[in-house]
Amino acid sequence: MAQAAAVAKPPPSTAQPPPDQGQRRRRAGSAPRRLPYLLIAPAALLMLGFIAYPVISVFYYSLRHYNPTKPWRDGFAGLDNFVTAFTDDPEFWHTLGFSLQWVAVEVVLQLLLGLVLALLVNQTFVGRALARALVFSPWAVSGVLTSTIWLLIFNSQTGISRYLADIGIGSYGTSWLSDTGTVFPAVVVAELWRGVPFFAILILADLQSVPKDLYEAAEVDGASRWRQFLHITLPHLKDAIILSTLLRAVWEFNNVDLLYTLTGGGPAGETTTLPLRIASIAVDSHDFGYASALTAIAFVILLFSSLLYLRLSKFGGQST
């Protein structure tokens, strides 16, 4: 009987699932991982198209003579446009030099003032919410409205120069935007009013994440406020400062709206940046080939400058 039962008892099953069943399980497991990428794919493709097509078009037209008003001169130019920019166009070097000066002055001053404002409104005091709103409000104002505000402020008849003349400072009818000696400080102040809140917002947001325990431990060890700032606050703000200065430098290099509205690049080309020069060549002279070449040069300058800056600043690395 025992032998019969042993014979009748089926052996344990060692059968493997069919190959198609294992593949279905792997597909079912990979589907949730692919779902986020599939959802963002349409938007990513649209963004890639809107970014890639203009860049490719600029480099294409930079190698051609292209002027809709003179179609008989259109054709392949090779590197002629680039040679003209570097050898036969003194305005290129002047505008590039002013662009670099503009970026350096604006970014440094905006960073310093934004850091000071962020440290101030990070403190606890009565009316802090109102102070933060006032500090951040210029960033919410559009570029056109900002230009209009400062045009009224610098107006020689109704602006600040008239009120200064009333108290004996300067003379009536003085226009700071038409004087080569005062136009640069005037446009710098106008752009500072708009750009400082950008740094203040980013730095304040990063200040909120600094652990309070670090400051308490530093106070117990007898560290002064200045040493706390140097050894706790600044290292913590390193990446925020690097990223904000890089973004702002690119934006200031490409600044067109405020300078164009306030001065139009004048007087006598004193405030003409490279993007303003490109806009003038393309819109006024209709020389899109040469304007594209200047745009390609500006693109390469910004690209390599950004990569070099991130490399030297060790963005994302450990603070020492």
Side-chain angles (χ1 to χ4, degrees), residues 68-69 79 133 169 177 235 242 260 315-316:
T69 62
L79 299 178
I169 301 177
L177 296 178
I242 293 173
Y260 180 80
F315 176 72

Side-chain angles (χ1 to χ4, degrees), residues 108-285:
V108 170
L109 292 180
Q110 289 178 23
L111 172 62
L112 294 177
L113 295 177
L115 177 61
V116 171
L117 286 178
L119 293 172
L120 289 177
V121 298
N122 191 45
Q123 305 299 317
T124 302
F125 56 89
V126 178
R128 184 176 67 171
L130 177 61
R132 288 182 175 181
L134 292 176
V135 168
F136 301 154
S137 57
W139 184 247
V141 180
S142 67
V144 175
L145 184 56
T146 298
S147 302
T148 303
I149 292 173
W150 285 97
L151 277 175
L152 294 174
I153 292 176
F154 292 139
N155 188 281
S156 59
Q157 303 299 323
T158 60
I160 189 173
S161 61
R162 176 181 177 180
Y163 294 101
L164 291 176
D166 289 340
I167 60 176
I169 301 177
S171 58
Y172 291 101
T174 301
S175 177
W176 293 355
L177 296 178
S178 60
D179 189 340
T180 56
T182 58
V183 63
F184 183 70
V187 294
V188 164
V189 170
E191 183 64 13
L192 283 177
W193 184 82
R194 181 174 67 169
V196 167
F198 170 77
F199 284 96
I201 293 171
L202 290 184
I203 293 175
L204 178 62
D206 211 32
L207 283 174
Q208 303 295 308
S209 63
V210 180
K212 302 299 181 183
D213 297 343
L214 296 178
Y215 293 107
E216 294 174 358
E219 290 180 359
V220 171
D221 292 339
S224 63
R225 289 290 185 90
W226 176 247
R227 292 182 66 84
Q228 293 179 30
F229 174 75
L230 289 180
H231 298 286
I232 298 176
T233 305
L234 273 185
H236 188 86
L237 296 176
K238 174 192 169 187
D239 284 348
I241 291 176
I242 293 173
L243 181 60
S244 59
T245 51
L246 176 60
L247 291 175
R248 200 61 191 160
V250 173
W251 294 342
E252 290 297 347
F253 187 92
N254 293 320
N255 188 315
V256 172
D257 56 349
L258 185 134
L259 289 174
Y260 180 80
T261 307
L262 290 182
T263 66
E270 286 291 321
T271 58
T272 302
T273 60
L274 184 57
L276 274 178
R277 168 77 171 157
I278 294 171
S280 175
I281 293 173
V283 177
D284 299 334
S285 302

Side-chain angles (χ1 to χ4, degrees), residues 59-60 62-66 73-81:
F59 279 94
Y60 170 75
S62 67
L63 301 175
R64 298 182 60 84
H65 296 297
Y66 180 61
R73 297 183 57 185
D74 294 350
F76 182 72
L79 299 178
D80 289 350
N81 290 324

